[in-house]
Amino acid sequence: MSSLSGQFWVRGHYSERFFLRNPMSSDLHTEMVQAVESRRNFAIISHPDAGKTTLTEKLLLYGGAIHEAGAVKARRAQRKATSDWMEMEQQRGISITSTVLQFGYDDFQINLLDTPGHQDFSEDTYRTLAAADNAVMLIDVAKGLEPQTRKLFEVCRLRALPIFTFVNKLDRPGREPLELLDEIEQELGLKTYAANWPIGMGDRFQGVYDRRLGQIHLFERQAHGSREAIDTIIDLGDPRIEELLDQELYYQLKEDLEILEELGSELAVEQIHGGELTPVYFGSAMTNFGVELFLQSFLELATKPAGRNSTRGTLPPIHPEFTGFVFKLQANMDPKHRDRVAFVRVCTGKFEKDMTVTHARTGKTVRLSRPQKLFAQDRESLDVAYPGDIIGLNNPGVFAIGDTIYLGNRLEYEGIPCFSPELFAFLKNPNPSKFKQFQKGIKELREEGAVQIMYSTDEFKRDPILAAVGQLQFEVVQFRLQSEYGVETQLEMLPYTLARWVAGGWAALEKVGRLFSAAVVKDNWDRPVLLFKNQWNLQQVLSDHKALTLNAIAPVGAGIEPDKD
């Protein structure tokens, strides 16, 4: 923690010295404290097909944000999932772009960041996690931890995010709950606390036991889980248990609880906030069993908006001056208007419509005249926002991912790096009459980070090089160029599998001289990048040129470099 945060921020409270140096009216101070206390911001991460989109829909259902859940499997009935708004997502039934969903529950304001589950879009997920205060890790009860779940967990660990685990699909046969807890602890090195415990599984899944309140929740199924589950609540010692619950399930529950009490971890909020312990919840998003219980517990245990690392240290969220950073750009959320939206995480202070802020990267002033509250594809105007909130700003080419905007004294937040792609291809436009549309599409999709784009250093090869983590990214770019810009394209695959950025830039590369086992290209920021066919070629170049330093992660284009610790 920085010296600044150490002086002013102690166990969730602000010292008198902070307010003496950062005066604000008592009314504004009270307003800010109340706003921060009531906000919860989280991202959902999972392997594909774990039920992430369905869980997102059900959280919106219980929050009153939608009246009927449009689960992915119900699309035949002409319903669609709120979070999957892009045409290609609706066609394939997968999430391929992150979205923001803001809604209220009781006295809380929730910012839910829905991330793509598919591994080809892990960079989009990484950017989204940069704006999150908590993460919900979704696991399929039959499959347990899967490769993408492990990968995303490591990203959460890098960012020291508190992690809440929801074990899904208890309405289907699966692995033993105790076995899953052990897997999380052994493979992730993360202590677990079973916040609730399932009663039965598959066709016999009848409900969950809330360990914290000592209550059994028995659920009645609703058609397709489109509405809230009917919940019967009884205490563990209530004599009605014999009538309402199968005797075998009751005795199994008592036996499991004895094991948990003897061997399981205790609930420690400080360990949750430190990313050392994960509360585990069991349920079924499809049938709504356990979803509202999870939401209530999460809101109580999750961390509220926290300070973020910047060039001025870690400012607490109630710092009086507004600051925020851009973590995502999205083109054509409204195809009729060809709009471009910058997603901004409010970090400190109170955001107000029409305020004029400074753009840290360019030093220019920008008036924020049309801010929007985001709910997937739907948006509405807003007048104010507070730390933890995500706002949408119109982006006429002003913002880049990682940009900081601020009032008052200058600062910049950590930037968001690009990772090494593994697939490369020239993107060709076979129709010269579509040149302008092609260029515009490439520019806007590049800005939003849908794919990395590089260029050959050979001036006769002007076609952009798409650089992607997975094949599906190529398909999305081609699909969107066709559907949003009216441009058909062709791919010419290149034989490379690794990209490395040259530390020291072009000057360092010139000292090396000619390279025989690598292709030299330039990225969007005109920085030299070496492409290699395989790991052996990379090692050969490093062996031949000891002075050459190569990085698998690109230097950030905007913002300060994240700490390497």
Side-chain angles (χ1 to χ4, degrees), residues 42 45 67 120 190 230 246 308 317 347 408 410 425 495 532 556 558:
F42 69 98
I45 61 173
H67 299 295
D120 287 6
L190 191 62
I230 298 173
D246 181 280
R308 312 183 75 80
C347 297
R410 188 184 188 282
F532 299 91
V556 300

Side-chain angles (χ1 to χ4, degrees), residues 406-424:
Y406 65 90
L407 282 179
N409 295 324
R410 188 184 188 282
L411 88 162
E412 277 194 275
Y413 287 107
E414 288 184 345
I416 303 176
C418 296
F419 294 91
S420 179
E422 299 173 8
L423 297 173
F424 304 87

Side-chain angles (χ1 to χ4, degrees), residues 96 120-121 123-124 127 329 401 418-419 421-425 427 441-455 464-478 480-481 491 501 523-524:
I96 60 178
D120 287 6
F121 303 100
E123 264 200 276
D124 197 14
R127 290 191 289 263
L329 302 176
I401 291 172
C418 296
F419 294 91
E422 299 173 8
L423 297 173
F424 304 87
L427 182 68
I442 289 298
K443 179 177 182 292
E444 294 183 357
L445 294 181
R446 179 194 68 211
E447 287 175 351
E448 72 175 56
V451 68
Q452 292 185 49
I453 294 181
M454 301 175 181
Y455 291 90
I465 299 171
L466 300 190
V469 174
Q471 182 66 36
L472 192 53
Q473 279 183 280
F474 287 162
E475 295 178 31
V476 169
V477 168
Q478 288 190 284
R480 291 185 62 187
L481 284 171
L491 287 179
W501 279 261
D523 70 3
N524 180 47

Side-chain angles (χ1 to χ4, degrees), residues 24 34 53 69 80 91-92 94 147 153 173 224 241-242 266 277 326 328 338 354 364 428 439 494:
M24 69 171 90
Q34 290 176 346
T53 300
K80 64 182 180 182
Q91 289 181 5
R92 298 199 180 196
I94 58 172
F153 166 77
H224 303 294
I241 291 179
E242 301 289 343
E266 294 185 2
L277 180 145
V326 178
K328 176 181 172 62
R338 289 285 183 259
D354 287 326
K364 296 179 179 179
K428 296 181 175 293
Q439 292 296 320
L494 295 170

Side-chain angles (χ1 to χ4, degrees), residues 120-401:
D120 287 6
F121 303 100
S122 53
E123 264 200 276
D124 197 14
T125 299
Y126 182 87
R127 290 191 289 263
T128 301
L129 288 171
D133 295 307
N134 305 274
V136 173
M137 181 168 67
L138 188 64
I139 294 175
D140 186 322
V141 68
K143 299 175 182 176
L145 292 176
E146 298 180 81
Q148 183 67 357
T149 314
R150 294 183 182 91
K151 185 176 180 180
L152 293 173
F153 166 77
E154 290 303 327
V155 175
C156 294
R157 173 167 277 171
L158 281 173
R159 297 198 169 276
L161 289 178
I163 297 174
F164 296 76
T165 301
F166 188 90
V167 180
N168 194 25
K169 301 186 180 181
L170 267 291
D171 57 314
R172 303 178 186 179
R175 294 165 58 184
E176 289 296 325
L178 286 169
E179 181 186 339
L180 291 172
L181 294 184
D182 185 63
E183 182 177 62
I184 293 170
E185 294 197 350
Q186 296 299 319
E187 294 200 24
L188 302 183
L190 191 62
K191 291 194 291 186
T192 62
Y193 173 81
N196 68 23
W197 199 252
I199 301 172
M201 188 182 296
D203 292 339
R204 301 185 73 195
F205 182 44
Q206 296 188 18
V208 297
Y209 172 68
D210 184 343
R211 292 183 67 201
R212 301 177 67 208
L213 298 180
Q215 295 176 327
I216 290 176
H217 291 251
L218 300 176
F219 301 107
E220 293 181 28
R221 297 176 187 246
Q222 300 295 299
H224 303 294
S226 61
R227 299 189 180 278
E228 296 93 330
I230 298 173
D231 185 357
T232 300
I233 304 173
I234 54 177
D235 293 328
L236 187 60
D238 194 309
R240 291 182 298 161
I241 291 179
E242 301 289 343
E243 303 172 18
L244 296 173
L245 190 60
D246 181 280
Q247 189 177 53
E248 181 185 346
L249 293 178
Y250 179 47
Y251 285 128
Q252 181 67 52
L253 172 65
K254 293 208 299 184
E255 182 180 322
D256 288 345
L257 292 179
E258 288 177 6
I259 296 173
L260 288 174
E261 292 299 327
E262 184 176 343
L263 302 178
S265 302
E266 294 185 2
L267 182 65
V269 175
E270 287 186 1
Q271 291 186 8
I272 296 173
H273 291 180
E276 303 167 32
L277 180 145
T278 178
V280 181
Y281 305 82
F282 294 86
S284 165
M286 184 59 69
T287 62
N288 301 337
F289 288 12
V291 173
E292 188 170 28
L293 271 177
F294 158 71
L295 179 59
Q296 292 168 344
S297 178
F298 168 81
L299 293 174
E300 183 179 338
L301 296 174
T303 183
K304 60 193 177 187
R308 312 183 75 80
N309 187 38
S310 77
T311 51
R312 291 173 56 196
T314 305
L315 296 179
I318 66 164
H319 177 75
E321 296 170 338
F322 163 77
T323 66
F325 76 93
V326 178
F327 68 94
K328 176 181 172 62
L329 302 176
Q330 184 71 54
N332 303 327
M333 290 180 71
D334 183 353
K336 294 179 181 178
H337 296 97
R338 289 285 183 259
D339 60 344
R340 297 155 76 189
V341 177
F343 290 58
V344 176
R345 155 73 190 241
V346 179
C347 297
T348 67
K350 179 181 178 181
F351 171 87
E352 296 183 278
K353 180 181 179 180
D354 287 326
M355 71 188 331
T356 299
V357 300
T358 302
H359 185 273
R361 177 168 53 85
T362 64
K364 296 179 179 179
T365 57
V366 182
R367 185 174 176 227
L368 308 179
S369 58
R370 293 167 58 192
Q372 300 167 335
K373 176 182 176 181
L374 299 162
F375 190 76
Q377 188 181 18
D378 298 327
R379 286 160 288 165
E380 60 184 64
S381 62
L382 62 79
D383 295 320
V384 297
Y386 300 92
D389 286 342
I390 309 297
I391 59 176
L393 299 175
N394 286 320
N395 177 34
V398 173
F399 299 114
I401 291 172

